[in-house]
Structures are given as structure tokens and as C-alpha cells.
Amino acid sequence: STFANKSLNLLKQLMSFIGDKDCDSLVQLTGLQVIRAVLYMRPDDSKLTDDQREALFNLFTDNAAPSLSNQQNERDKDLTALQLVLARLGAVDVVISCVESSDSDVRLAALQLGVTVLEGGNRRVQDMFAAALSQPSNQGFFVNIRELFDQCIDDMKEAKRKEKRMQAERASNTKKA
């Protein structure tokens, strides 16, 4: 329908806009969250009941997988189709571009969108990511992922040191008492 085509065109424009490295980080963050929410809310699915939409919204807010299926091996065909549509509209490029952001919230939202687009092992979307990430121009993605891992490791080490200091202080205070 014309409405669906206009909606898809608007999503494509949004992805193009937030994938631009000069885009404001708050706009990128909001855009990434909107695109991810589309995978949960499935605006084209007229078969969903209000209760199912509420359940999907709760999955979104809980950062859970966007599927109402209770069986892991039962594929959600509507989700798979929507993942592919969004990937073709530019979600893969948006994820790659936004992971390179200097804003940690944007990087996290980009990774969450990437996970959601790949949820369930969507092979065609995986292939699109593989093709995009094999381009030399996207080498920054891997550099940023490595930096994120290094930062996480450093944060965990620091948290462990703090916990040890607190335990030592408690032990010291117990001995004094």
C-alpha cells in the first residue's frame, strides 16, 4: 500500500540521517531506539492483539528478544521478514556507523539494534552484516568493538578492586569493634 511505502521511505530516511557521522548523538540515540522499537511493535501486523502488543512492548522495555514464541526453535516469520526489511533499508549500515560514535549511549543502542536485527539467527541479515563488515571502510567498527571490550575489562577489574577494598575496610572495622 502507499501508506506502507511512505512509512518504509521515512524509516529509510531516518536511518540515513542517524547513520551520518555528523548527526547529533541525542538524535542518533533516539533514532536507534525508534528503529529497534519497530521490530518489537510490528506496526504492519494486523493479527496482533492488544495484549500481544503490550507483551511485545514489555519485551522491548525489558531488553528481551522480540518474539512471542516460547519455543526457541520455532521461528517467528513476521519478525524474520521485518528484520530483513529493516536491514535492506539501512539498519546494518546504521549499526556499523553508530558503533563508531564517541557517545557510549549511542554505541550501546547501536549494539542493541544489531542484536535485535540478528535475533533468531536471521541468515540473510547475517550475510548482509558480513558483506558490510568485510569492506575496508568499516574497519573502525572492529577497532571500536575492541575498545569497548578493553573498557569493559578495565571496568570489571576496577569494580573487583573496589570490592576488595570495601571487604578489607569492613574486616578492619570489625576487628576494631
Side-chain angles (χ1 to χ4, degrees):
S1 78
T2 304
F3 177 75
N5 289 338
K6 284 183 180 179
S7 297
L8 292 176
N9 192 37
L10 288 172
L11 269 173
K12 185 175 184 173
Q13 289 175 5
L14 174 64
M15 286 190 231
S16 177
F17 184 70
I18 65 173
D20 187 318
K21 299 204 184 313
D22 294 327
C23 183
D24 179 75
S25 61
L26 184 57
V27 173
Q28 282 181 317
L29 178 62
T30 304
L32 288 163
Q33 291 168 337
V34 166
I35 295 165
R36 187 166 170 261
V38 167
L39 285 161
Y40 285 84
M41 303 311 296
R42 303 185 201 174
D44 281 1
D45 194 342
S46 59
K47 296 176 289 189
L48 288 176
T49 66
D50 288 342
D51 287 344
Q52 288 173 315
R53 288 194 190 282
E54 182 71 22
L56 286 166
F57 180 75
N58 290 333
L59 291 172
F60 174 72
T61 58
D62 293 344
N63 201 26
S67 179
L68 295 173
S69 171
N70 291 331
Q71 299 176 8
Q72 285 187 323
N73 57 354
E74 182 183 315
R75 296 285 309 243
D76 187 331
K77 289 176 181 33
D78 292 331
L79 174 62
T80 301
L82 187 54
Q83 288 170 321
L84 186 58
V85 166
L86 290 181
R88 287 180 175 156
L89 290 174
V92 171
D93 294 329
V94 166
V95 168
I96 293 168
S97 175
C98 290
V99 163
E100 296 181 30
S101 172
S102 60
D103 185 298
S104 61
D105 291 334
V106 170
R107 287 193 310 259
L108 177 60
L111 289 172
Q112 288 173 324
L113 174 60
V115 167
T116 306
V117 170
L118 289 163
E119 185 68 45
N122 191 326
R123 181 66 183 185
R124 291 161 84 187
V125 177
Q126 289 175 5
D127 290 344
M128 292 173 78
F129 267 100
L133 291 170
S134 66
Q135 301 298 314
S137 61
N138 289 326
Q139 191 174 22
F141 174 87
F142 294 105
V143 171
N144 279 293
I145 292 294
R146 176 61 194 216
E147 288 173 0
L148 285 170
F149 276 124
D150 290 344
Q151 183 62 49
C152 288
I153 291 168
D154 291 344
D155 290 349
M156 286 188 284
K157 286 178 180 177
E158 182 59 31
K160 196 171 187 177
R161 282 191 288 270
K162 280 184 181 179
E163 181 62 29
K164 284 184 178 181
R165 282 194 299 267
M166 289 176 64
Q167 287 175 352
E169 285 178 24
R170 277 189 241 128
S172 175
N173 290 339
T174 305
K175 289 179 183 175
K176 291 179 182 176

